[in-house]
Structure formats: C-alpha cells, structure tokens
Amino acid sequence: MSSQVVSQTSYEIPKTQRAVTFAETHGPHTIQTDWPVTQPSELKPGEVLVRVVYSGVCHTDLHAWLGDWPLENKLPLVGGHEGSGYVAFIGPPLEGAEPCTLKVGDAVGIKWLADSCLHCEECGKGFESSCGQAKNSGFSVDGSFQQWAVSWGAHLTPIPAGFPLANAAPILCAGVTVYKALKEAAILKGEVVVIPGAGGGLGHLAVQYAKAMGYRVIAIDSGAEKEKLLASYGVTDFIDYQKGDVVEAVQKLTDGAGAHAAVVVASGSQAYEQALQYLRPHGALVCVGMPPNADIRANVFWTVVKSHRIIGSYVGNRQDAIEALELAAAGKVHTTFTIEPLANLPSVFERMHALTLNGRIVLDLQ
Ligand code: 8ID
Ligand code: ZN
C-alpha cells in the first residue's frame, strides 16, 4: 500500500490508476492496475475530479452486480457510491450556475446521487434523487471503486473538518439513507421504531440515528455477533428473525400495542410482510431495503382502518447528507467498519451475500 493521501492545494494526476470493474452483469470482477484516469482537460462543465481515499461497500453495489433490479446500469462499470476523498481538480463552470464553492484539497463525499438537474419540480422540492436526469454513482456513471473518480460539484458533500475519511464513507449512502428514512417515518420522541436488518451496513447506523433522534429502538436481525454489535450502541431490544415469531416478539416488547414505525433496511422481503402485522394504527412502514422481485402485500381494509402509512424512501438530498455527516462528526453516531484493500471487493460481495458482515466494509484506495 502506498503512502497516505492527504489534502493538498494541487495534485499530480496520473494517466492510469487502480480500479475494480466488471464488464457483464454477474460476470467476473477485474482488478485493474492501469484503468484510465479522466484528465483535467477532459472534465466537462460542472464535473470535478476526486482523489478517492476510501469507499464503503453497500448492498446496492451487490444488487447492481447481480442484476437484481429492473434498471440497466452502464457496462463496463466501476461500482461504488460511498466514496470519501479530496477534490483534485475542478472542471469548467456550468453555464448559468453558481460558481463551484469547493476548492482543490477539500474533503468531500461521493454519494449515490452523483448529479441532478436542480431545476425540475422534484429537485425544487428537495426530492433530488427522483430527478428525471439523475446520475447514480457506481450505476449509471462510474463510482468510487477507483482512485480518481469524476463527480459533480453541485452534489459532492463537504466532509466536516477533522472527521476521518474512513468513518465518513459509510455515512454517504448508509447514513444519509437511514437518517432520511427516519425523518420520513414522522414519529415523535419516545415512540417505538423497529429496524429489521439492524445488524447490516444501513441498520447499524439506523439504530444509532434513531436513538439520537429520541426514539425507542427494537432491532431485528440474526445471530449473536449482530446482537453484540447492537448492544454496543445500547440497543438491548433485539429480536432474532430466524428464531421464533417476529410479530409476536414485537407485540410483546410493546405491551401488545405494536410499533409506531418500521424502517425496513433488510435486503430480504419477509421483513416487509411482518412489519405490516406489528405496526400500531397510524404506524409508518418506511421501505428502504430493496430485495429483488419483491412486492408489498397490504390488505386494503386494514390499511384504511388502521390508517397505515406505506412510504418509499430513496437515499436523501444534499441537505440530508450534510446533516447525517454532522451528527456523525459530533459523535452521536459511530460507523462500525473494517478496512480492507480494494482488491478484496469480490470477497466482500461473497460475505455480504452470505449475510455474515457486521456493519460495513470500507475499501482503502490509497
Ligand atoms: O435509498 C435506499 N432506499 C437505499 C440506499 C442504500 C441501500 C436502499 N439500500 C438497500 C440495499 O440495496 C439493500 O437492499 O438497503 C438494503 C440493505 O443494504 P445494506 O445495509 O448495505 O445491506 P447489508 O449490510 O447486507 O445488511 C442487510 C441486513 O439485513 C438482514 C441481514 O442479516 C443483514 O444484516 N436481514 C435480512 I437479508 N432479512 C432480514 C429479516 N427478514 C434481515 N433482518 C431482519 N429480518
Ligand atoms: Zn448504498
């Protein structure tokens, strides 16, 4: 591993770099050592070259590689959308837009939403991820599993001074997504939120944001390791979904009343069906995890009579990302992660598929 990458006022930009790519869905990964670097002269208006230092690995990267979703990604693809690093070069300004406020050397994050038009109704209302012209890192454009990534100045997230880049990486997708999803639940302090998938990348952050927001947390996942991880954040109401009846267990922990919200971050579909059964009247099911080919089956009569709210929540906007990072930098939320070399990506996917990861794996791109 080469020497540490630091903030500088200018960077010498190489012609080639290390990256992990795949050329076909579910095809082999290639550990590239001479993948081309976009040169400063090639940057288009609004684009910024980022020296990526760390990248988290999200289950979304695995779904993309497996072709789990009814959307096509670019091929060959450099995946990754939880990147943290430094601005290395700023491309020409976009016509009619505010000048880029970033400087070379600024610590920034690359998130799933790489760019959006910022002019349409969705962008205007803060639903930037729903913009018809949205670009997605590591999906429709190359992402953060490379040392030098092209991103977009308007959507890069500034990382608070002094907050370690490795800790910041998982906040840029997992953190912002769960923080936003908890806002969408719109429940009150002291109310109960259930988090199925609590031991995974999104889940381990969700339980902490939920506590920081003043909610009572019931965590659902499986295995002693995940239970231990969650207990380390002070979450003691843990239900193992592979042992016994989850719905009964939630009812028991809520004295028969049910939960005010479920923020489902599990990548399996069973968790959705269960959530509708343990929500109390006016409870919110916030859908975050995206298992392949899954439907939510809600009985219309009971949805009406119980006034259940079923809400899809898709990452977060620029401000959500800033707030999620602020809470983490203030020490209210801790990312639990293991740093591994970039070339381990295929093995990380294997372990993620086997559901044996606790928290996040962060890849080192130095
Ligand atoms: O914007 C969004 N909505 C968004 C953003 C980022 C990620 C959605 N996601 C989606 C991913 O695409 C994926 O489908 O969230 C899901 C979770 O991503 P992750 O946290 O990165 O995955 P992970 O680290 O593998 O954790 C998944 C956890 O779910 C548990 C597993 O044991 C694992 O710990 N789990 C499963 I699978 N089924 C469960 C169940 N029935 C369950 N936990 C409880 N009940
Ligand atoms: Zn993600």
Side-chain angles (χ1 to χ4, degrees), residues 253-277:
L253 285 168
T254 54
D255 297 326
H260 297 87
V263 174
V264 177
V265 294
S267 45
S269 60
Q270 182 196 24
Y272 282 101
E273 315 241 329
Q274 292 164 342
L276 286 167
Q277 294 170 53

Side-chain angles (χ1 to χ4, degrees), residues 63-188:
H63 288 307
W65 175 61
L66 291 172
D68 274 346
W69 294 340
L71 279 181
E72 290 209 355
N73 50 269
K74 106 178 238 305
L75 288 172
L77 181 70
V78 177
H81 58 274
E82 276 187 354
S84 57
Y86 299 107
V87 172
F89 199 92
I90 297 170
L94 260 182
E95 208 183 318
E98 299 286 315
C100 183
T101 52
L102 297 168
K103 297 186 308 301
V104 171
D106 282 357
V108 288
I110 295 175
K111 52 187 174 49
W112 173 253
L113 185 63
D115 193 30
S116 73
C117 80
L118 297 178
H119 298 296
C120 68
E121 178 179 334
E122 305 303 334
C123 284
K125 286 180 171 169
F127 307 133
E128 294 152 13
S129 48
S130 305
C131 172
Q133 293 177 48
K135 297 182 182 76
N136 298 125
S137 313
F139 197 81
S140 63
V141 297
D142 284 339
S144 52
F145 297 152
Q146 59 181 339
Q147 294 174 299
W148 301 84
V150 173
S151 204
W152 282 262
H155 275 276
L156 284 168
T157 309
I159 294 177
F163 189 46
L165 293 187
N167 299 57
I171 304 296
L172 287 151
C173 179
V176 60
T177 298
V178 299
Y179 173 63
K180 169 59 167 243
L182 286 158
K183 283 188 183 177
E184 290 283 354
I187 61 172
L188 301 175

Side-chain angles (χ1 to χ4, degrees), residues 29-53:
H29 284 95
T30 309
I31 316 294
Q32 309 277 0
T33 51
D34 55 359
W35 190 249
V37 175
T38 301
Q39 297 299 297
S41 59
E42 296 167 334
L43 290 173
K44 297 189 198 71
E47 292 181 352
V48 168
L49 188 67
V50 177
R51 175 59 171 98
V52 183
V53 183

Side-chain angles (χ1 to χ4, degrees), residues 59-60 63 197 200-202 221 226 265 270 288 290 313 315 360:
H59 208 114
T60 290
H63 288 307
L202 268 64
D221 212 305
K226 291 184 181 177
V265 294
Q270 182 196 24
V288 178
M290 292 189 279
S313 189
V315 290
R360 261 297 188 245

